[in-house]
Amino acid sequence: MTRPPLPPFTEDSAREKIRLAEDGWNSRDPARVALAYTQGSRWRNRVEFPVGRAEIEDFLTRKWARELEYRLIKELWAFAGNRIAVRYAYEYRDDSGQWFRAYGNENWAFAADGLMAQRHASINEQPIREDERKFHWPLGRRPDDHPGLSDLGL
């Protein structure tokens, strides 16, 4: 199985890869998202270190059970060869109704087949009021005409 676009990345193919990843995560479908990673993919996500698709799927299942109405935007930071660096922000609310915006950076390394072999994430978040939200599209894929992070001043 291959997962185009494949490395080595150009600016256009890196942007395409990022948008595909964003779309997958905005689906909030752990099984679908896990298929974008190698069988032995290694993650660093805050204090969790999932390895392999099964652990990634379990991690995402727990994440989206807590992070309700999750909406994510990713943006290219840098790329070279089989690596891409992104910055991102996402908004969600918890089960008490409190909204949050999380900010982060990810460093990705891809196998030749286009599956992600490594994901290193650094994330911080802050509570926000509902009227401070910036991500207002219906759940699912971000519309093409919705502003990106730079456009939103994030």
Side-chain angles (χ1 to χ4, degrees):
M1 176 174 101
T2 62
R3 189 89 171 203
L6 306 176
F9 296 108
T10 64
E11 183 173 348
D12 288 342
S13 65
R15 288 185 191 284
E16 180 182 355
K17 194 70 153 180
I18 292 164
R19 183 56 192 244
L20 291 168
E22 176 187 309
D23 292 349
W25 280 64
N26 277 326
S27 77
R28 297 174 332 279
D29 180 341
R32 174 183 166 201
V33 173
L35 292 175
Y37 301 91
T38 62
Q39 291 289 348
S41 187
R42 303 182 69 79
W43 281 24
R44 186 195 77 214
N45 196 94
R46 297 186 188 192
V47 298
E48 294 193 55
F49 300 87
V51 176
R53 286 187 186 153
E55 289 184 20
I56 290 168
E57 187 174 339
D58 289 346
F59 169 86
L60 293 171
T61 299
R62 290 189 317 277
K63 173 185 179 62
W64 289 322
R66 293 183 318 269
E67 296 178 357
L68 309 174
E69 297 190 53
Y70 177 96
R71 291 169 177 86
L72 165 75
I73 300 175
K74 292 182 182 279
E75 187 173 279
L76 177 65
W77 188 256
F79 69 95
N82 72 330
R83 297 177 184 270
I84 299 175
V86 299
R87 66 186 200 92
Y88 62 91
Y90 62 90
E91 294 178 348
Y92 70 93
R93 68 171 177 81
D94 65 16
D95 60 2
S96 76
Q98 173 63 57
W99 283 93
F100 296 87
R101 184 174 305 120
Y103 302 93
N105 298 291
E106 291 177 337
N107 296 308
W108 301 341
F110 292 87
D113 60 7
L115 296 173
M116 193 181 301
Q118 293 180 45
R119 174 184 172 266
H120 300 279
S122 298
I123 308 163
N124 57 62
E125 65 192 5
Q126 65 182 31
I128 59 172
R129 295 185 319 268
E130 187 168 4
D131 67 347
E132 293 176 303
R133 293 180 52 221
K134 296 181 180 279
F135 302 174
H136 294 287
W137 65 89
L139 289 176
R141 186 180 192 276
R142 176 173 55 102
D144 290 336
D145 62 350
H146 190 282
L149 295 179
S150 293
D151 299 324
L152 291 168
L154 299 174

